């Protein structure tokens, strides 16, 4: 649907005065500031930049006048539409390759040069570069052999598979390339920005390795043409025996290949611009060679070229050391043996002992190229695979006598140099269809990249596919099968097989293919280091940073050295047939991820996914991806596994060590969709008891500098969770969000930093609230999303609550306890949290003691089990203590508990502790008295400041006077009450006051001190429980590494809150590491499977 724009002019008297300045600014903005781009590390405009190539000079220039005064405060962040459109219209990009580095100054240079507007069209910018990159060494050196070995039908299947793969990839690539501006970086840029830095880095390096090994392959092709077809006498290693020929050839390839690589690297290092200028010459060589082939095919109809192939029986002979295809010849009426005779017999005499097969079979001469109309096509339809050393034989000739493999290897027969099978040929052929990225790699040079890349690339693939298909058919129709299977042309005096077909001379193809391979090798050595430099400058792979630097003009020197080193590995392999599958793997992996990127973006329907190229579909991308994966394993399953392992290692390395990048990639969108789907599924039903695990909300406290007060709380979280389930780390800042925004961001950064240090995997949530009480309430209610909500709250015990002048500190704590209970969340409170072990500590032999007083759903059982999964607590043993009352059968309780733990599959010692109803001691009364006096003082603190201070002083004076009076009275008397109690004093006091058969109420009446009479008896009983339980726990568990204890709930009457804190303090007195546990009201552990 067309969209109509109406431009409404707005009059402004000040416009003309500033017109000249604006024009100057526009000129300045055409300069692409490369250092700004590098500084961001990702090669794309920063997010805070509302339009491309934003510069500081723009601010304030376009906003003069009074018409837009209403928006003047927003102009810095939201530019005027006219200014935005002006920027977009003048957008340019640096050209790629050598031109970029030859024209660009050093980063420290005084000023960047203005970049001319790119002018290349579809034909010169995309079509021809793709054509040159696709057509190459395999076409000239291996295609005839592939046709002869696989037959025309299977060769067409190989070509069809590979061309379909690249066509589908090109469709996906066109969609990605036309979805916005594609800056420098080509395919690497597209994949990394579509699939994220992890995939981008992995695939970028795979593409780099593929390009580097392609350089090896082209250099090996160059040397093969040089040593086999141009100057065979230049060989350094010469085989004296026929069986040593393959080894000698490989050694020659290694020596000459290394020299050629060194020479090419020097050329690239010294003057890469000459490589680009010669590109057209190399392209001309390729096109002329192909035209020569077609011309030769047409000529075979009228006058086939004369290339006889000498056959012995049905076996093909190497035609190097003889000139006549005869056993004997008659010269001056005398029959004399030929040179061929001498190859198969002991001597030149006619009665010499000869090879049996030579004696029994006749020598015939076949026309190597019978021509297009000869009907040889029917013989070449089917495959002829075989093992290493298999003789190349003609099916239409007969032979007498069997093979003698022991003798045949010494005879001048043409044989298979490798074992052949269909999948091997796929791997060898595939590099001949790579090179489809050449257009997208030059996106910055194009006048209209979004139009040129799809048309040029797809046309190039169609053209090359037609060339390959017609070549397969024409080779099969024109050339004899035994010559097709003769890889190095030994049967036609060492001529290039495809050269025998060409017109006007075989040398056209030989020289053309030589320069074509040279050019392709040089371009690989030019392109690969720049690709590595782009990856290094993105900063996603830390150990590659050094390769981002180069010469003063930007030449990637270090990257070139690494490329040459990797290229040398391929040259040391020395066999073109062995190197080709390696680079096939890396290119296939790259194409696989291009298809994946397009499929993911299409299926996710990302709002930014709006390609101009409309002829794509996710199913096509998925098919292309499947085809790439299939071809990888078809070509070579072990190379495929190695390539995928390399990519996986790079992926994981970037994930753990790489820089954090946000490129708006599709994988992030995929994660969001998957997360949304999973959350909706999770919300359908609460988790079953078997799946229950603590999903933690950790309430952290920060100091005045926004630093984490108790980092060991995060350590405990890590040890408890071991990276599983949900962890939300929350904090509340007091104030309003508008005034505390910067502080909240800083607090969040500090918490994330602490979480990273303590290896706590989870989310951070900082809330700004008018008061801490409401903030914690909001966190408990709203943290999490859908089914991914917390079910357990972890917090530190407020250790300084007694010293704090502000009663809100402990009131907030108690209210948090109440709210977690109301929300049916479990609660964990860590006392003395700073003494808990760090993640680096390894606790030795010791115990985790569980004091199971009341049943809370099994939390007390589950937590030690989870802790012991972590290496910090692994060596600790678990002990469970339960408390028996007077009327309980403790022996039976122990048996039942052991059976319960057995069914729970938990390994723990069990002990039942008996607590009898003892007298309430004087120590308990004194503790209760102190607690109530302090409570009274805290209640009085709600008065005005002056009155509060006076009241506190009066209470203090009264306490001092009463203690002085008690001391005066008891100096001579036996009735002294000890404020600091030891265990011995406690037992003494208890035994002295105990009367075995007296009623408790009567006994209290007789032993009561005057100031104890007014005490609340409920508080006295609670204090008695706390004192007695603490005494038992300290007695049994003082040496334990950790004590887990049921946490009693706060009183329903809020008037006794401060007493509750005192009860807990008494309960935990004398214990080092304590975790108070309060269940969430549901069973969390089960005996069932």
């Amino acid at each position: 649907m067309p969209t109509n724009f109406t431009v409404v002019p707005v009059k402004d008297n000040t416009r003309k005065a500033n017109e000249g300045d604006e024009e100057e600014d526009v000129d300045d903005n055409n300069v692409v500031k490369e250092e700004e781009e590098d500084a961001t590390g990702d090669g794309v405009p920063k997010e805070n930049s509302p339009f491309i190539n934003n510069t500081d000079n723009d601010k304030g220039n376009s906003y003069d006048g009074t018409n837009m005064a209403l928006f003047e405060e927003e102009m810095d962040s939201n530019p005027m539409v006219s200014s935005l459109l002006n920027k977009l219209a003048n957008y340019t990009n640096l050209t790629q390759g050598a031109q970029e580095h030859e024209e660009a100054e050093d980063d420290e240079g005084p000023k960047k040069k203005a970049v001319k507007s790119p002018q290349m069209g579809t034909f010169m910018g995309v079509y021809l570069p793709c054509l040159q990159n696709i057509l190459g060494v395999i076409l000239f050196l291996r295609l005839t052999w592939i046709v002869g070995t696989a037959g025309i039908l299977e060769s067409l299947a190989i070509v069809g598979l590979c061309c379909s793969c690249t066509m589908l990839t090109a469709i996906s690539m066109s969609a990605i390339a036309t979805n916005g501006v594609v800056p420098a970086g080509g395919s690497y840029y597209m994949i990394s920005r579509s699939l994220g830095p992890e995939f981008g880095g992995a695939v970028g390096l795979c593409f780099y390795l593929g390009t580097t090994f392609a350089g090896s392959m082209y250099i090996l092709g160059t040397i093969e043409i040089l040593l086999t077809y141009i100057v065979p006498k230049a060989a350094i290693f010469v085989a004296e025996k026929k069986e040593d020929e393959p080894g000698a050839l490989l050694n020659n390839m290694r020596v000459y290949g290394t020299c050629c690589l060194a020479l090419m690297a020097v050329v690239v290092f010294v003057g890469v611009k000459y490589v680009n200028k010669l590109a057209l010459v190399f392209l001309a060589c390729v096109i002329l060679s192909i035209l020569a082939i077609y011309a030769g095919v047409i000529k075979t109809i009228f006058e086939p070229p004369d290339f006889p192939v000498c056959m012995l029986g049905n076996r093909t002979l190497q035609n190097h050391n003889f000139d006549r295809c005869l056993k004997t010849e008659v010269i001056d009426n005398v029959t004399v043996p030929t040179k061929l005779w001498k190859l198969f017999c002991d001597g030149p005499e006619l009665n010499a002992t000869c090879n049996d097969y030579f004696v029994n079979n006749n020598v015939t001469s076949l026309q190597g190229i019978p021509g297009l109309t000869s009907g040889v096509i029917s013989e070449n339809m089917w495959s002829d695979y075989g093992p290493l050393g298999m003789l190349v034989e003609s099916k239409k000739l007969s032979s007498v006598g069997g093979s003698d493999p022991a003798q045949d290897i010494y005879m001048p027969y043409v044989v298979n140099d490798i074992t052949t099978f269909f999948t091997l040929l796929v791997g060898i052929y595939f590099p001949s269809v790579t090179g489809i990225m050449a257009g997208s790699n030059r996106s910055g040079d194009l006048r209209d990249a979004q139009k040129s890349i799809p048309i040029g690339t797809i046309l190039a693939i169609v053209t090359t596919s037609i060339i390959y298909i017609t070549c397969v058919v024409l080779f099969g129709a024109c050339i004899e099968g035994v010559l097709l299977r003769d890889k190095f042309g030994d049967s036609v005096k060492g001529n290039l097989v495809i050269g025998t077909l060409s017109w006007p001379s075989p040398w056209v193809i030989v020289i053309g293919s030589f320069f074509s391979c040279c050019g392709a090798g040089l371009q690989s050595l030019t392109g690969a280091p720049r690709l590595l430099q782009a990856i290094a400058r993105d900063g996603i792979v830390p150990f590659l940073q050094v390769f981002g630097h180069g010469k003063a003009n930007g030449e990637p020197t270090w990257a070139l050295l690494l490329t040459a080193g990797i290229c040398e590995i391929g040259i040391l392999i020395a066999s073109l047939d062995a190197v080709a599958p390696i680079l096939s793997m890396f290119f296939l992996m790259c194409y696989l991820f291009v298809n994946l990127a397009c499929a993911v973006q299409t299926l996710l329907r990302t709002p930014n996914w709006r390609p101009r190229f409309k002829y794509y579909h996710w199913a096509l991308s998925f098919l292309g991806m499947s085809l790439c994966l299939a071809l990888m394993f078809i070509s070579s399953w072990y190379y495929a596994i190695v390539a995928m392992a390399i990519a996986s290692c790079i992926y994981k390395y970037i994930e753990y060590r790489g820089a954090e990048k946000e490129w708006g990639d599709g994988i992030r969108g995929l994660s969001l969709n998957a997360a949304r789907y999973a959350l909706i599924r999770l919300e359908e039903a609460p988790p079953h008891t078997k799946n229950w695990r603590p999903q933690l909300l950790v309430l952290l406290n920060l100091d005045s500098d926004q630093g984490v007060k108790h980092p060991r709380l995060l350590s405990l979280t890590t040890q408890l969770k071991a990276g599983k389930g949900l962890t939300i780390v929350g904090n509340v800042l007091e104030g309003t969000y508008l005034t505390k925004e910067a502080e909240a961001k800083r607090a969040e950064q500090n918490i994330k930093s602490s979480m990273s240090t303590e290896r706590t995997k989870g989310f951070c949530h900082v809330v700004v609230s008018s008061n801490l009480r409401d903030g914690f309430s909001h966190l408990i209610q709203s943290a999490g999303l859908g089914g991914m909500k917390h079910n357990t709250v972890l917090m530190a015990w407020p250790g300084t609550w007694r010293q704090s002048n502000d009663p809100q500190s402990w009131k907030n704590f108690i209210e948090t306890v109440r709210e977690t209970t109301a929300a049916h969340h479990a609660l964990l409170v860590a006392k003395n949290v700073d003494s808990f072990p760090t993640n680096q500590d390894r606790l030795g032999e010791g115990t985790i003691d569980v004091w199971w007083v009341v049943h809370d759903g099994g939390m007390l059982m589950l937590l030690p089990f989870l802790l012991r999964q972590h290496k910090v607590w692994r060596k600790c043993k678990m002990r469970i203590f339960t408390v028996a009352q007077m009327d309980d059968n403790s022996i039976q309780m122990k048996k039942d508990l052991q059976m319960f733990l057995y069914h729970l599959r938990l390994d723990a010692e069990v002990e039942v502790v008996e607590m009898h109803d003892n007298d309430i001691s004087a120590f308990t009364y004194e503790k209760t008295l102190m607690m109530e006096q302090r409570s009274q003082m805290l209640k009085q603190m709600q008065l005005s400041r002056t009155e509060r201070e006076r009241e506190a002083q009066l209470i203090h004076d009264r306490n001092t006077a009463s203690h002085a009076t008690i001391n005066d009275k008891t100096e001579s008397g036996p009735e002294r009450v000890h404020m600091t109690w030891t265990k011995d004093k406690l037992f003494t006091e208890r035994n002295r006051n105990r009367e075995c058969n007296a009623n408790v109420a009567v006994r209290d009446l007789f032993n009561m001190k005057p100031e104890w009479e007014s005490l609340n008896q409920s508080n006295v009983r609670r204090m008695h429980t706390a004192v007695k339980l603490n005494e038992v726990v300290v007695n049994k568990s003082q040496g334990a590494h950790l004590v887990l204890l049921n946490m009693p709930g706060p009183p329903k009457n809020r008037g006794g809150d401060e007493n509750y804190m005192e009860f807990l303090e008494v309960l935990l007195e004398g214990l080092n590491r304590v975790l108070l546990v309060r269940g969430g009201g549901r069973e969390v552990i089960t005996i069932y499977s």
Side-chain angles (χ1 to χ4, degrees):
M1 192 176 91
T3 306
N4 297 320
F5 289 99
T6 305
V7 180
V8 182
V10 180
K11 293 182 181 178
D12 187 355
N13 296 330
T14 59
R15 172 75 181 170
K16 291 181 181 177
N18 297 310
E19 210 166 37
D21 294 336
E22 288 187 11
E23 284 175 10
E24 289 176 14
D25 291 332
V26 168
D27 291 338
D28 291 338
N29 293 333
N30 282 339
V31 179
V32 178
K33 299 194 173 181
E34 197 179 51
E35 61 267 20
E36 282 183 11
E37 198 169 285
D38 290 342
T40 63
D42 56 4
V44 290
K46 297 178 183 177
E47 279 194 9
N48 61 4
S49 168
F51 45 84
I52 304 169
N53 293 338
N54 187 23
T55 61
D56 294 335
N57 298 333
D58 305 323
K59 293 179 180 178
N61 291 344
S62 304
Y63 317 137
D64 297 334
T66 55
N67 289 317
M68 295 295 163
L70 184 61
F71 298 95
E72 62 188 5
E73 289 183 1
E74 299 178 32
M75 289 300 187
D76 284 345
S77 58
N78 302 325
M80 287 176 62
V81 174
S82 59
S83 177
L84 171 65
L85 294 175
N86 185 37
K87 284 288 180 183
L88 291 171
N90 289 315
Y91 170 71
T92 58
N93 199 338
L94 284 180
T95 53
Q96 274 71 38
Q99 194 175 345
E100 171 187 346
H101 295 297
E102 293 296 331
E103 292 186 357
E105 295 286 331
D106 186 20
D107 284 346
E108 285 87 23
K111 195 174 181 180
K112 295 281 173 191
K113 290 187 179 180
V115 179
K116 293 180 182 177
S117 178
Q119 290 300 323
M120 294 183 80
T122 305
F123 186 74
M124 290 295 290
V126 181
Y127 181 75
L128 288 182
C130 283
L131 211 63
Q132 181 183 356
N133 276 267
I134 294 170
L135 299 170
V137 61
I138 301 293
L139 170 64
F140 299 124
L141 294 184
R142 293 289 182 271
L143 192 57
T144 52
W145 173 73
I146 289 172
V147 173
T149 306
I152 293 173
L153 294 179
E154 288 186 27
S155 297
L156 287 174
I158 292 171
V159 173
L161 268 177
C162 297
C163 291
S164 302
C165 177
T166 53
M167 178 59 83
L168 291 169
T169 304
I171 290 169
S172 299
M173 187 192 74
S174 299
I176 298 170
T178 57
N179 187 49
V181 180
V182 179
S187 55
Y188 162 67
Y189 180 91
M190 289 191 300
I191 296 166
S192 61
R193 270 55 175 185
S194 296
L195 292 180
E198 293 88 359
F199 278 113
V203 179
L205 284 174
C206 282
F207 193 49
Y208 162 74
L209 289 171
T211 310
T212 305
F213 277 106
S216 301
M217 186 184 74
Y218 290 128
I219 291 170
L220 289 172
T222 305
I223 302 305
E224 186 176 308
I225 293 166
L226 182 73
L227 292 180
T228 311
Y229 307 113
I230 300 178
V231 277
K233 292 179 182 176
I236 299 169
F237 300 92
V238 180
E240 294 180 2
K241 297 178 182 177
K242 181 176 177 292
E243 61 269 23
D244 297 333
E245 284 177 4
L249 177 64
L250 293 182
N251 287 332
N252 283 321
M253 299 281 272
R254 290 183 183 109
V255 173
Y256 277 99
T258 304
C259 296
C260 183
L261 172 64
L263 185 65
M264 285 185 176
V266 169
V267 170
V268 171
F269 179 76
V270 172
V272 75
K273 60 182 175 183
Y274 301 113
V275 176
N276 279 5
K277 286 178 181 175
L278 286 170
L280 207 57
V281 177
F282 299 138
L283 176 63
C285 291
V286 175
I287 292 170
L288 283 173
S289 301
I290 290 168
L291 290 175
I293 293 167
Y294 284 115
V297 168
I298 293 167
K299 186 172 176 290
T300 63
I301 300 172
F302 315 107
E303 187 186 342
D306 183 29
F307 283 100
V309 177
C310 192
M311 308 291 293
L312 176 62
N314 64 354
R315 299 180 183 178
T316 314
L317 297 176
Q318 291 185 350
N319 194 353
H320 289 300
N321 300 317
F322 60 92
D323 49 359
R324 288 174 168 276
C325 189
L326 296 168
K327 290 184 181 180
T328 58
E329 59 182 335
V330 179
I331 301 175
D332 298 330
N333 294 325
V334 178
T335 303
V336 293
T338 59
K339 289 182 181 178
L340 181 60
W341 180 280
K342 296 169 187 174
L343 295 174
F344 284 90
C345 301
D346 292 345
E349 300 84 14
L350 290 172
N351 60 355
T353 306
C354 295
N355 178 272
D356 289 343
Y357 189 84
F358 181 73
V359 173
N360 295 331
N361 289 277
N362 293 324
V363 174
T364 53
S365 182
L366 275 180
Q367 188 54 258
I369 302 177
L372 194 61
T373 55
S374 64
V376 75
I377 187 168
S378 60
E379 297 167 16
N380 293 329
M381 277 289 176
W382 312 109
S383 61
D384 192 4
Y385 302 117
L388 169 68
M390 187 186 85
L391 300 173
V392 174
E393 297 176 337
S394 172
K395 293 174 184 174
K396 61 185 178 183
L397 295 177
S398 60
S399 68
V400 179
S403 299
D404 183 6
Q407 292 296 320
D408 289 344
I409 59 171
Y410 302 108
M411 300 302 156
Y413 296 128
V414 177
V415 297
N416 280 1
D417 66 329
I418 57 172
T419 302
T420 53
F421 41 90
F422 178 79
T423 57
L424 172 83
L425 298 186
V426 174
I428 292 173
Y429 173 75
F430 188 80
S432 65
V433 296
T434 59
I436 61 171
M437 300 289 188
S440 63
N441 289 347
R442 296 161 186 258
S443 54
D445 292 334
L446 302 172
R447 194 182 305 120
D448 184 357
Q450 296 193 5
K451 178 184 175 187
S452 298
I453 288 174
I455 295 172
T457 306
I458 290 171
L459 274 181
I461 292 173
V462 169
T463 306
T464 52
S465 299
I466 291 169
I467 290 172
Y468 284 130
I469 290 167
T470 54
C471 280
V472 166
V473 175
L474 293 174
F475 291 164
C478 293
I479 305 174
E480 187 61 53
V482 288
L483 181 55
L484 283 173
R485 293 197 295 281
D486 182 3
K487 188 187 286 186
F488 300 108
D490 291 321
S491 60
V492 285
K493 296 189 180 294
N495 273 302
L496 181 61
V497 175
I498 199 172
T500 60
L501 185 63
S502 66
W503 180 86
S505 162
W507 286 101
V508 175
I509 294 277
V510 172
I511 301 300
S513 59
F514 178 77
F515 283 113
S516 165
C517 290
C518 271
L522 280 170
Q523 286 182 325
S524 293
L525 286 180
T526 307
R530 278 171 180 73
L531 181 59
L532 182 62
Q533 189 180 40
I535 297 168
R537 284 184 172 174
D538 257 353
I540 55 172
V541 187
F543 70 83
L544 290 180
Q545 294 286 350
V546 66
F547 299 110
H549 308 299
K551 288 197 299 188
N553 63 350
E555 277 298 309
T557 314
W558 293 108
L560 178 60
L561 284 174
L562 180 68
T563 303
I566 296 171
C567 209
E568 177 64 18
I569 295 171
I571 285 166
L572 291 176
I573 294 172
S575 169
L576 190 70
D577 303 322
V579 172
I582 296 175
L583 67 105
S584 295
M585 286 308 115
F586 291 122
F587 277 121
L588 278 166
M589 186 161 287
C590 180
Y591 296 165
L592 184 148
F593 282 104
V594 169
N595 285 302
L596 175 65
C598 182
V600 165
Q601 298 275 32
T602 309
L603 287 171
L604 287 180
R605 298 190 181 128
T606 316
N608 191 50
W609 179 247
R610 302 185 298 275
R612 287 191 177 280
F613 180 79
K614 299 297 182 188
Y615 306 102
Y616 69 93
H617 192 269
W618 66 267
L620 289 177
S621 301
F622 191 78
L623 181 63
M625 186 176 74
S626 307
L627 198 54
C628 287
L629 192 64
L631 281 173
M632 284 175 72
F633 282 92
I634 285 171
S635 303
S636 173
W637 64 267
Y638 44 90
Y639 279 154
I641 290 170
V642 169
M644 292 172 89
I646 290 170
S648 302
C649 289
I650 298 166
Y651 180 94
K652 296 309 286 184
Y653 177 81
I654 295 170
E655 190 177 42
Y656 285 113
R657 296 292 308 279
E660 286 292 326
K661 299 285 179 187
E662 174 48 68
W663 286 333
D665 50 86
I667 291 296
R668 188 175 177 82
L670 189 63
S671 302
L672 284 170
N673 265 24
R676 182 186 66 84
Y677 175 76
L679 284 170
I680 290 170
R681 288 291 304 273
L682 272 175
E683 207 170 16
E684 289 176 1
H688 191 272
T689 304
K690 288 186 285 188
N691 296 329
W692 195 95
R693 65 165 61 244
Q695 316 287 11
L696 290 180
L697 169 63
V698 184
L699 300 180
L700 275 187
N701 291 322
L702 302 182
D703 56 26
S704 54
D705 297 326
Q706 307 303 325
V708 176
K709 258 188 192 175
H710 303 296
R712 297 290 175 85
L713 203 60
L714 293 174
S715 304
L716 178 62
T717 306
T718 305
Q719 292 154 24
L720 196 59
K721 300 290 289 177
K724 305 291 191 300
L726 174 72
T727 302
I728 302 171
V729 181
N731 175 252
V732 178
L733 295 179
E734 202 165 1
T736 61
Y737 184 68
L738 292 177
T739 57
K740 296 271 187 176
E741 182 192 0
E743 210 172 311
K745 292 249 170 60
R746 190 165 69 251
E748 193 168 336
Q749 286 303 318
N750 290 346
I751 291 172
K752 283 182 178 175
S753 173
S754 294
M755 287 172 71
S756 174
T757 306
E758 300 295 337
R759 298 178 186 173
T760 306
K761 293 182 180 177
F763 308 99
C764 175
H765 197 174
V766 176
V767 171
V768 182
S769 178
S770 55
N771 60 70
L772 297 176
R773 161 84 187 77
D774 290 345
F776 284 122
S777 176
H778 294 155
L779 270 178
I780 290 167
Q781 291 176 62
S782 62
L785 181 66
M788 279 295 277
K789 290 183 80 71
H790 59 278
N791 55 28
T792 307
V793 177
L794 172 62
M795 59 197 297
W797 172 261
T800 58
W801 71 275
R802 279 176 172 163
Q803 289 78 34
S804 173
N805 293 325
D806 183 12
Q808 281 305 116
S809 62
W810 54 267
K811 283 190 175 177
N812 288 340
F813 172 79
I814 295 173
E815 287 302 316
T816 305
V817 175
R818 285 195 175 105
E819 294 211 341
T820 53
T821 306
H824 302 292
H825 292 158
L827 176 66
L828 310 177
V829 178
K831 187 165 188 287
N832 298 330
V833 71
D834 293 326
S835 69
F836 275 62
T838 64
N839 292 323
Q840 285 71 42
D841 293 341
R842 299 290 179 269
L843 297 178
E845 297 293 332
T847 60
I848 299 175
D849 286 0
V850 176
W851 284 85
W852 194 20
V853 181
V854 294
H855 182 57
D856 56 355
M859 275 286 285
L860 282 168
M861 310 290 178
L862 188 62
L863 292 174
F865 170 76
L866 293 174
L867 279 174
R868 289 176 63 205
Q869 305 302 307
H870 197 275
K871 44 197 163 188
V872 172
W873 302 90
R874 194 160 287 157
K875 292 184 180 178
C876 297
K877 291 183 178 175
M878 181 174 161
R879 292 195 301 179
I880 296 185
F881 297 90
T882 189
V883 177
Q885 300 298 325
M886 276 291 290
D887 53 350
D888 290 329
N889 182 345
S890 56
I891 297 171
Q892 188 59 41
M893 275 182 72
K894 184 171 182 176
K895 284 182 180 177
D896 292 344
L897 185 53
Q898 284 173 334
M899 182 55 69
F900 181 57
L901 290 175
Y902 174 77
H903 285 307
L904 287 176
R905 291 91 65 204
L906 293 176
D907 185 21
E909 289 180 30
V910 174
E911 192 169 333
V912 177
V913 178
E914 295 181 351
M915 283 185 67
H916 301 294
D917 286 338
N918 293 324
D919 304 341
I920 298 175
S921 66
F923 173 62
T924 303
Y925 279 111
E926 196 60 37
K927 274 277 190 186
T928 312
L929 176 65
M930 288 172 61
M931 177 184 76
E932 291 202 351
Q933 284 181 339
R934 188 175 187 283
S935 301
Q936 189 179 357
M937 181 175 74
L938 290 170
K939 282 175 185 171
Q940 295 297 327
M941 284 175 130
Q942 295 172 3
L943 305 170
S944 67
R945 185 176 181 81
T946 313
E947 290 173 343
R948 193 164 61 217
E949 286 176 0
R950 187 167 65 245
E951 189 71 24
Q953 186 63 41
L954 284 171
I955 292 170
H956 174 70
D957 292 345
R958 192 189 314 140
N959 281 344
T960 308
S962 71
H963 285 308
T965 309
I966 289 168
N967 289 338
D968 289 342
K969 284 180 181 177
T970 57
E971 268 178 8
S972 55
E975 293 292 324
R976 182 175 179 187
V977 177
H978 294 281
M979 295 299 293
T980 306
W981 286 76
T982 63
K983 204 169 286 185
D984 293 332
K985 291 176 185 174
L986 186 63
F987 285 129
T988 306
E989 180 71 11
R990 181 186 301 143
N991 292 331
R992 188 170 60 80
N993 291 328
R994 177 169 293 159
E995 294 175 13
C996 294
N997 299 317
N999 185 280
V1000 173
V1002 177
R1003 187 165 62 249
D1004 284 349
L1005 191 64
F1006 283 109
N1007 292 328
M1008 196 74 73
K1009 291 193 169 40
E1011 59 268 31
W1012 296 350
E1013 291 178 6
S1014 61
L1015 293 180
N1016 184 328
Q1017 289 303 305
S1018 172
N1019 285 344
V1020 173
R1021 285 198 309 276
R1022 288 168 189 267
M1023 184 62 78
H1024 173 67
T1025 305
V1027 170
K1028 291 297 296 175
L1029 193 54
N1030 173 257
E1031 176 191 328
V1032 175
V1033 173
V1034 169
N1035 182 34
K1036 296 281 187 183
S1037 301
Q1038 196 161 23
H1041 285 316
L1042 179 65
V1043 176
L1044 282 88
L1045 188 64
N1046 283 116
M1047 181 178 185
K1052 292 179 181 177
N1053 176 18
R1054 281 180 165 75
D1057 283 358
E1058 59 274 13
N1059 299 344
Y1060 174 68
M1061 296 296 288
E1062 284 286 357
F1063 294 142
L1064 291 181
E1065 278 286 4
V1066 172
L1067 181 62
L1068 306 178
E1069 200 170 356
L1071 297 171
N1072 182 21
R1073 297 184 192 128
V1074 184
L1075 195 60
L1076 288 170
V1077 180
R1078 188 160 170 73
R1082 62 162 291 167
E1083 292 293 329
V1084 300
I1085 195 164
T1086 177
I1087 62 173
Y1088 299 106
S1089 62

